[in-house]
Amino acid sequence: MSAIPLHSNSRKTILELQQENERLRDFAELSSDWFWEQDSNLRFVEFSGTGIDRINRSRSDFIGKKRWDMPISSSSYQDMLEHKACCEKHEPFIDFQYDIYDASGNLQRYSVSGTPIFDEQGKFSGYRGIGTNITELQRAKAAFKESQQQLAQIMVGSPIASFVIDSNHTITHWNKACEVLTGITALETIGTKNTWAGFYDKPRPVMANLVLSGALNEDIKRHYGNKFRPSALIPGAYEAEDYFPHMHNGRWLFFTAAPLLSEDGAVLGAVETLQDITEQKQQEEHIIHQAHFDSLTNLPNRFLALDRLNLLIEEAKRTAKKIAVLFIDLDDFKKVNDTLGHALGDELLIQSATRLRSTIRSSDTIGRLGGDEFIVLINNLEHEVDVRPIAENLLESFRDVFKLKGRELLLTSSIGISIYPNDGEDPETLLRNADSAMYFSKNQGRNAYHFFTEDMNKGIERRLQIEEQMHGALSRNEFCLNYQPVIEVESGRVIGAEALLRWNNPVLGQINPDEFIPIAEQSGLIVPIGYFVLNEALKTTKLWMDKFERSFEIAVNLSPLQFRDPTLIQQINKALDTHRVPGHSLNLEITEGVLLGNQQAVKTAFADLSELGIQISMDDFGTGYSSLSYLRNYRFHTLKIDRSFMMDFETDSNVPALIEATIAMAHALDVDVIAEGVETQKQCSYLQSKNCNYAQGYLFSKPVSANDFEDLLT
Ligand code: C2E
Ligand code: CA
Ligand code: CA
């Protein structure tokens, strides 16, 4: 108002003055706040604006009174005293708040701000100011605070370890259960970044099988990279496991994170939970160790050794160096075993392993292929002749006598060597050729080593013969199926059968599937043969379902190559239709090999199969990677514990515990278990006591023809 030109007397200026006044009056009247003025005695002289209604009062309640004459709540006395002191000193004030009783006796909270006014001589002439009713605002704030407190309490009290981060990954909440689980207090974590850097001993490599779904929100990808995948357990949430390194106190954690999204979908942060899966992890590692290491010598087994060879080949492709594969077989070991007994035989194998191990450098690989066969891998070779001194040293290491329980024994070995890339470019070929070279050494009088040469490979001839015969075998009707019953352990009832392929060839005779199936896979013939198996098995199943008027589950083995056939789903669908067998009566057995490679295609196939109601079993569990993460990532209905477990059941004291752990973990993931190769009642009783669902093996029946199987059903 000080801008109003007081000394002007032109008509235009007076008009302007009136207009200015009207504007100010309108503003004041329309405002939800109110304006007030006090004289030099601090008595109210003026109120303007309708805002005063908002505290359910009229201006006459105030005019002529002092502020401290108003009916205020006792909680506001102190504030009022301060306010009074401030006014008596003629100081400006901002946002003094009181609870004042309105005309109906309800408390209203309002806020006042004011400025002292002075006349031309500088003498104090009163106050002018503004008042606002903030009752609603105050209530909303209190309610908000309360609900926040409640949410925080729910989180803090939750038995599930959980914490909250904001969009900068800064931890904002850290509950009691988190403190207990990690040993790290909320005080230490809240406000720090969720980088995990301080949590863990040492970083671990990222597991390759963590897939990032295409449907993942871009924002989440930005925040988490590919650490998380959509959770199978909690829709809309994400989980990460194996990705994170061990925690500082050596526990394994399983993470889930549910994003906190704003209304427009931006990530505000996340609620994360931690689960201690250390025990499960240890069991898993135990199983993996068992699957990768030979329990007698603790050397890498065949699987792991070939896996390492694979890695070395990848490396050699880059470095253009050579690799030597040494196949070592102890001479006359069988004789020792038969005459001195298995215990001494085992002892001899352990001592041999130790000698071989100490002959090579620690960076070279040694593994036990089985029986008395060992493998040594030497990489980074410039020339193949560089392996000669190593082979000589290995033979030399057997020069000294072995001392076994007071006996002295002299033993020699025979070695065959194949070289990458000259003698093969994949582990299987290199191993086969080293094996041929080893036989050559044996035939040459033992205690010797030889490099592989092409004409050593008589085995190849048989392979070629099998492949040649296989080409017309389907049309000549040489294939048929045998059926092995699957027994429900608890009831002893036959619930279904596994269809197993048999081949009787006029030239080669009866050929073992273990011999011809790999050849069928390599030549691609397994695809048409596989569809023959499927149709034949479904035809027989339908026959039995009708004849015996009961449900029946038929298990059919599917090789990796078949699984990758783009027409697979269509063919299965057609076969189910043709034979009028419901999808849920079909169980497809696949091995882990299927799951390597194109993850998206596998996921799609799984989804399509389960849409048809078809069940999927993981076959030969315990022989490959044996990664339980497959069971989490793919919906398996059944896990088949490999026959090798039953073979070692009585001799290896580790095996029963491994079987038990496998069953427990499969059940935890809602997966049924079939034990394969059950041959004794003792094994069966053990399985029963551990709640194994189904069993298969010679104890119940060998695989038999369809006709003989009917007898089992009646
Ligand atoms: P698999 O799928 O693990 O099949 C189980 C094998 O264990 C069968 O050998 C069966 O005869 C044998 N077996 C079952 N119970 C016992 C037992 O108590 N003791 C012993 N010692 N052995 C038992 P089989 O029939 O020789 O088949 C060998 C492999 O050939 C199968 O292993 C499977 O991988 C493959 N195979 C067989 N039929 C097919 C087929 O139609 N398609 C494909 N892709 N593979 C097949
Ligand atoms: Ca099988
Ligand atoms: Ca199997």
Side-chain angles (χ1 to χ4, degrees):
M1 285 211 205
S2 58
I4 297 168
L6 289 172
H7 303 294
S8 174
N9 54 3
S10 78
R11 271 188 61 143
K12 203 178 159 205
T13 314
I14 290 168
L15 191 67
E16 274 178 3
L17 210 76
Q18 274 176 348
Q19 283 172 343
E20 182 79 5
N21 258 335
E22 274 169 30
R23 268 177 65 211
L24 289 173
R25 198 195 59 219
D26 286 349
F27 284 156
E29 287 303 320
L30 292 171
S31 169
S32 60
D33 300 335
W34 60 90
F35 301 89
W36 50 265
E37 235 173 276
Q38 291 170 337
D39 61 15
S40 57
N41 291 320
L42 302 174
R43 287 182 197 281
F44 287 112
V45 291
E46 180 57 287
F47 269 90
S48 63
T50 49
I52 194 78
D53 303 344
R54 304 184 85 225
I55 50 172
N56 193 11
R57 286 279 180 190
S58 63
R59 57 186 75 192
S60 60
D61 293 342
F62 292 95
I63 301 294
K65 291 191 179 145
K66 293 189 179 179
R67 193 179 300 280
W68 21 97
D69 298 335
M70 297 294 110
I72 59 169
S73 97
S74 56
S75 62
S76 293
Y77 285 164
Q78 190 55 39
D79 294 332
M80 188 58 91
L81 283 179
E82 272 174 43
H83 190 174
K84 194 174 172 194
C86 164
C87 291
E88 282 163 355
K89 285 186 270 178
H90 305 159
E91 287 171 350
F93 56 87
I94 284 180
D95 194 27
F96 265 112
Q97 296 187 6
Y98 313 102
D99 291 318
I100 177 172
Y101 287 100
D102 66 10
S104 338
N106 296 318
L107 277 178
Q108 301 276 355
R109 189 163 184 88
Y110 70 112
S111 155
V112 285
S113 303
T115 181
I117 28 183
F118 301 95
D119 64 13
E120 269 124 88
Q121 282 76 46
K123 196 166 152 266
F124 173 72
S125 60
Y127 267 99
R128 195 182 288 144
I130 187 167
T132 311
N133 185 350
I134 58 168
T135 314
E136 287 305 322
L137 188 68
Q138 200 72 16
R139 256 183 224 143
K141 270 189 189 164
F144 179 70
K145 201 170 153 198
E146 191 175 330
S147 78
Q148 278 223 315
Q149 264 168 354
Q150 273 176 3
L151 278 179
Q153 276 166 12
I154 289 169
M155 220 206 93
V156 168
S158 163
I160 297 162
S162 39
F163 61 95
V164 180
I165 57 170
D166 66 14
S167 61
N168 296 319
H169 290 220
T170 302
I171 296 172
T172 58
H173 292 78
W174 184 262
N175 76 359
K176 261 261 145 345
C178 265
E179 292 187 333
V180 173
L181 182 62
T182 63
I184 304 172
T185 64
L187 222 62
E188 290 168 88
T189 47
I190 289 178
T192 64
K193 287 248 178 199
N194 171 22
T195 58
W196 308 113
F199 275 30
Y200 302 106
D201 299 337
K202 50 181 182 273
R204 272 176 133 253
V206 182
M207 287 268 293
N209 68 347
L210 276 183
V211 262
L212 203 64
S213 138
L216 223 70
N217 180 321
E218 280 305 316
D219 220 16
I220 289 165
K221 272 192 220 166
R222 230 187 11 258
H223 279 282
Y224 295 116
N226 50 6
K227 291 177 197 174
F228 284 88
R229 62 195 164 198
S231 165
L233 303 173
I234 310 161
Y238 296 83
E239 58 190 34
E241 185 226 334
D242 293 343
Y243 182 88
F244 287 103
H246 279 100
M247 288 198 52
H248 63 146
N249 52 2
R251 311 295 295 175
W252 273 100
L253 295 184
F254 181 72
F255 281 74
T256 63
L260 289 171
L261 301 178
S262 74
E263 264 177 65
D264 52 12
V267 174
L268 303 173
V271 184
E272 306 199 9
T273 64
L274 301 176
Q275 240 175 301
D276 189 334
I277 54 160
T278 311
E279 260 165 49
Q280 189 182 336
K281 209 71 199 164
Q282 281 165 349
Q283 283 178 322
E284 197 172 322
E285 272 167 15
H286 188 45
I287 292 174
I288 288 171
H289 184 90
Q290 195 73 14
H292 291 182
F293 290 86
D294 167 45
S295 58
L296 182 66
T297 60
N298 218 19
L299 291 179
N301 64 10
R302 179 190 202 92
F303 175 81
L304 185 58
L306 291 186
D307 198 47
R308 287 205 184 153
L309 179 53
N310 218 352
L311 293 177
L312 293 179
I313 289 173
E314 288 308 314
E315 187 190 88
K317 277 183 192 157
R318 277 182 278 115
T319 58
K321 296 273 174 67
K322 294 178 193 293
I323 305 166
V325 176
L326 291 85
F327 197 117
I328 305 165
D329 190 289
L330 307 184
D331 296 330
D332 285 328
F333 175 77
K334 197 172 162 357
K335 244 186 247 166
V336 176
N337 217 17
D338 290 347
T339 50
L340 302 181
H342 284 256
L344 284 190
D346 282 354
E347 179 58 31
L348 190 58
L349 286 173
I350 293 169
Q351 288 192 22
S352 304
T354 312
R355 287 189 186 192
L356 292 172
R357 164 92 271 174
S358 61
T359 307
I360 57 168
R361 293 172 308 178
S362 60
S363 55
D364 297 329
T365 298
I366 173 168
R368 183 177 172 211
L369 294 172
D372 58 346
E373 295 170 350
F374 297 89
I375 184 176
V376 167
L377 306 174
I378 312 286
N379 64 329
N380 267 328
L381 290 174
E382 285 295 341
H383 308 286
E384 49 250 64
V385 290
D386 298 346
V387 74
R388 284 185 184 275
I390 298 171
E392 277 155 18
N393 284 340
L394 287 168
L395 292 179
E396 267 294 306
S397 70
F398 284 80
R399 171 139 308 173
D400 294 337
V401 290
F402 286 89
K403 294 197 174 75
L404 295 169
K405 304 249 156 68
R407 284 168 190 272
E408 294 201 338
L409 207 87
L410 210 56
L411 195 75
T412 57
S413 63
S414 298
I415 300 178
I417 304 170
S418 65
I419 302 287
Y420 170 89
N422 317 24
D423 304 328
E425 300 201 354
D426 58 87
E428 289 72 28
T429 312
L430 287 164
L431 189 69
R432 201 170 53 237
N433 289 343
D435 189 12
S436 304
M438 188 276 293
Y439 269 101
F440 188 80
S441 297
K442 286 235 191 255
N443 290 335
Q444 295 295 303
R446 307 169 176 199
N447 195 19
Y449 70 90
H450 282 93
F451 285 90
F452 169 76
T453 58
E454 249 341 300
D455 52 47
M456 287 175 179
N457 241 342
K458 293 286 170 285
I460 290 216
E461 258 167 55
R462 162 119 177 133
R463 206 206 110 98
L464 289 175
Q465 238 181 344
I466 289 178
E467 205 179 318
E468 192 187 315
Q469 287 299 319
M470 205 185 289
H471 272 286
L474 211 47
S475 56
R476 291 192 302 267
N477 260 325
E478 290 172 15
F479 290 112
C480 71
L481 293 187
N482 271 2
Y483 297 88
Q484 187 178 36
V486 177
I487 310 293
E488 186 175 57
V489 174
E490 202 181 63
S491 63
R493 235 167 39 94
V494 176
I495 60 116
E498 177 176 1
L500 292 157
L501 187 58
R502 296 293 175 258
W503 181 21
N504 196 356
N505 178 265
V507 179
L508 300 166
Q510 186 85 28
I511 306 149
N512 197 325
D514 282 330
E515 190 179 10
F516 76 78
I517 297 268
I519 297 171
E521 280 171 347
Q522 279 159 28
S523 64
L525 282 170
I526 193 69
V527 176
I529 294 174
Y531 290 126
F532 161 80
V533 174
L534 181 71
N535 277 290
E536 187 68 18
L538 290 179
K539 190 171 85 191
T540 312
T541 300
K542 177 66 180 166
L543 205 87
W544 289 337
M545 283 166 79
D546 289 348
K547 190 162 175 181
F548 299 98
E549 292 180 334
R550 51 171 287 188
S551 66
F552 193 82
E553 229 177 70
I554 187 78
V556 173
N557 292 284
L558 219 55
S559 86
L561 199 67
Q562 285 177 274
F563 207 81
R564 282 182 214 121
D565 175 12
T567 67
L568 175 76
I569 305 293
Q570 197 191 330
Q571 299 254 25
I572 291 177
N573 215 350
K574 197 172 122 205
L576 287 171
D577 267 3
T578 309
H579 303 291
R580 285 173 294 124
V581 173
H584 62 81
S585 293
L586 177 61
N587 191 325
L588 298 176
E589 298 192 359
I590 61 175
T591 54
E592 280 175 314
V594 169
L595 306 175
L596 304 170
N598 187 345
Q599 307 250 347
Q600 201 44 54
V602 173
K603 282 236 154 91
T604 313
F606 262 72
D608 291 343
L609 289 172
S610 75
E611 193 139 299
L612 294 173
I614 293 166
Q615 317 219 25
I616 305 174
S617 299
M618 184 185 275
D619 206 354
D620 302 343
F621 184 82
T623 56
Y625 290 98
S626 302
S627 172
L628 288 167
S629 66
Y630 289 133
L631 292 183
R632 262 198 297 274
N633 286 341
Y634 300 97
R635 180 71 189 100
F636 281 96
H637 298 84
T638 329
L639 176 156
K640 298 190 81 170
I641 300 182
D642 189 64
R643 193 152 56 83
S644 58
F645 282 79
M646 288 304 144
M647 278 159 60
D648 297 340
F649 184 83
E650 261 109 51
T651 51
D652 186 342
S653 57
N654 278 321
V655 164
L658 276 169
I659 293 175
E660 183 178 3
T662 306
I663 294 173
M665 271 181 301
H667 283 174
L669 295 164
D670 202 18
V671 171
D672 285 345
V673 178
I674 302 185
E676 293 185 296
V678 178
E679 293 188 0
T680 66
Q681 188 51 51
K682 194 171 158 196
Q683 293 166 347
C684 187
S685 306
Y686 183 78
L687 292 168
Q688 189 164 19
S689 73
K690 300 304 172 200
N691 295 322
C692 183
N693 309 77
Y694 308 104
Q696 214 179 315
Y698 293 175
L699 176 66
F700 313 105
S701 166
K702 290 197 171 188
V704 294
S705 69
N707 275 339
D708 291 348
F709 196 91
E710 281 194 15
D711 297 341
L712 287 172
L713 286 176
T714 43

